Amino acid sequence: MKTLQDGAMLHNGVRMPWLGLGVYKVQEGEEVVQAVKTAIEIGYRHIDTAAFYQNEEGVGRAVKESGVPREELFITTKVWNSDQGYDTTLKAFEESLKKLDLSYIDLYLVHWPVKGKYKETYKALEKLYKDGFVRAIGVSNFQIHHLQDLMATCEIKPMVNQVEYHPRLTQKTLHAFCKENGIQLEAWSPLMRGGELLNEPVLMEIGKKYGKTPAQVILRWDLQNEVVTIPKSVTPKRIKENAGIFDFELTVEEMKAIDALNQDKRIGPDPDNFDF
């Protein structure tokens, strides 16, 4: 974890950069194009979008205009709930691929565990993987019981589980389960929303010691916990700042102090009580 290009090795041998740019709620068109191009210029090689974000076209355009060879980039997108099911997922994937204007996707995820549908949806992902359209497949917002249910019948174990993860929601049991099963945990909303964490005295204090912001301290904590992280920003200064986490290391005590901020507090929906 020395540079922005360093990555986690997924269980199928594909390397996934530890830090990426998330584009949830980033507007289609110039806003998303500029954010992605800025990130790639800074050195990011991992971009995370989803059909639901409605900005895949802009992401694809930015990838093309960046001038960076496609094989150096890691692009994630996800199938939305209303498209879940076997045939509908294959169709949704085709649509995403067209919008992104790419010949393959690096990581395709089931966005939420829609009851009665996510197994069929995942079967479609397995087909896409076998046919070479995606380099890795996985899930998002899956709890342990969802993963166990899926793994009881799936042919290819998920490579990634992307979940809400931050110092107020440390997901220790889920993280341990994923580790045991060779599933890479990935954090969405690592900084929470509304900046509550950025004024947290513990994080401010640690940041002062290293000359880093609370946000940088959190992202470093992610990496040292071996969690891939995708903070969202459209501000060039912030995108650059978020990447400045490879030149310092938190001590064991500091890691524990951040762990202790956990309140099992979600800002997003609870996957077990989500209105799909």
Side-chain angles (χ1 to χ4, degrees):
M1 296 180 195
K2 297 281 185 284
T3 73
L4 246 178
Q5 284 82 44
D6 287 345
M9 192 64 81
L10 303 181
H11 72 66
N12 67 336
V14 166
R15 210 176 48 80
M16 177 183 192
W18 287 110
L19 183 74
L21 177 78
V23 296
Y24 176 54
K25 286 193 172 168
V26 180
Q27 224 173 329
E28 176 62 290
E30 277 318 299
E31 186 174 70
V32 76
V33 171
Q34 286 317 314
V36 172
K37 276 169 78 172
T38 298
I40 294 173
E41 267 163 40
I42 287 164
Y44 285 72
R45 291 295 176 263
H46 173 183
I47 309 295
D48 179 279
T49 183
F52 180 68
Y53 304 168
Q54 296 184 347
N55 54 21
E56 289 170 312
E57 279 176 38
V59 168
R61 203 182 110 198
V63 164
K64 283 270 188 302
E65 292 176 8
S66 75
V68 169
R70 168 68 185 100
E71 60 276 11
E72 286 180 25
L73 298 168
F74 190 96
I75 311 295
T76 300
T77 192
K78 313 173 192 81
V79 56
W80 185 242
N81 305 335
S82 52
D83 289 322
Q84 286 200 33
Y86 187 81
D87 294 326
T88 38
T89 293
L90 294 176
K91 204 166 161 240
F93 176 80
E94 228 169 273
E95 192 63 28
S96 284
L97 203 59
K98 199 164 82 189
K99 284 182 175 170
L100 284 158
D101 195 16
L102 299 172
S103 57
Y104 67 92
I105 303 284
D106 296 278
L107 176 64
Y108 198 41
L109 301 177
V110 181
H111 209 146
W112 287 90
V114 176
K115 209 175 175 178
K117 281 196 174 175
Y118 63 77
K119 283 186 163 185
E120 284 303 304
T121 303
Y122 193 76
K123 269 203 184 94
L125 267 62
E126 290 179 319
K127 177 175 167 50
L128 292 165
Y129 178 70
K130 286 183 204 161
D131 292 349
F133 288 108
V134 290
R135 295 175 66 228
I137 54 176
V139 295
S140 185
N141 302 300
F142 274 48
Q143 309 272 55
I144 291 173
H145 69 92
H146 297 122
L147 291 168
Q148 286 169 328
D149 184 43
L150 186 65
M151 291 193 307
T153 55
C154 70
E155 284 178 70
I156 302 158
K157 196 167 55 174
M159 285 131 206
V160 173
N161 185 18
Q162 185 186 115
V163 299
E164 181 180 346
Y165 177 93
H166 44 71
R168 290 267 187 259
L169 183 71
T170 56
Q171 304 258 36
K172 288 274 190 202
T173 324
L174 177 63
H175 191 189
F177 178 86
C178 287
K179 263 197 165 152
E180 273 162 37
N181 288 279
I183 301 168
Q184 177 60 51
L185 200 71
E186 180 179 14
W188 64 255
S189 208
L191 307 175
M192 286 187 81
R193 286 182 210 133
E196 175 196 324
L197 268 174
L198 304 182
N199 300 314
E200 169 56 56
V202 171
L203 298 169
M204 290 167 86
E205 198 55 44
I206 295 170
K208 214 177 286 171
K209 175 181 159 185
Y210 297 104
K212 296 289 177 183
T213 64
Q216 288 169 318
V217 170
I218 294 169
L219 298 174
R220 182 69 209 180
W221 171 79
D222 285 349
L223 299 199
Q224 286 183 222
N225 276 323
E226 295 180 357
V227 174
V228 169
T229 186
I230 44 168
K232 182 198 102 181
S233 183
V234 294
T235 321
K237 180 179 176 284
R238 191 64 50 74
I239 294 171
K240 190 172 184 185
E241 204 174 80
N242 287 343
I245 57 173
F246 295 92
D247 57 354
F248 74 110
E249 199 167 325
L250 300 168
T251 65
V252 175
E253 287 70 30
E254 288 161 348
M255 290 292 288
K256 282 181 180 160
I258 299 170
D259 286 350
L261 298 172
N262 181 51
Q263 298 173 353
D264 292 330
K265 181 180 180 180
R266 292 182 182 277
I267 49 158
D270 177 346
D272 284 324
N273 303 297
F274 185 44
D275 180 11
F276 297 106

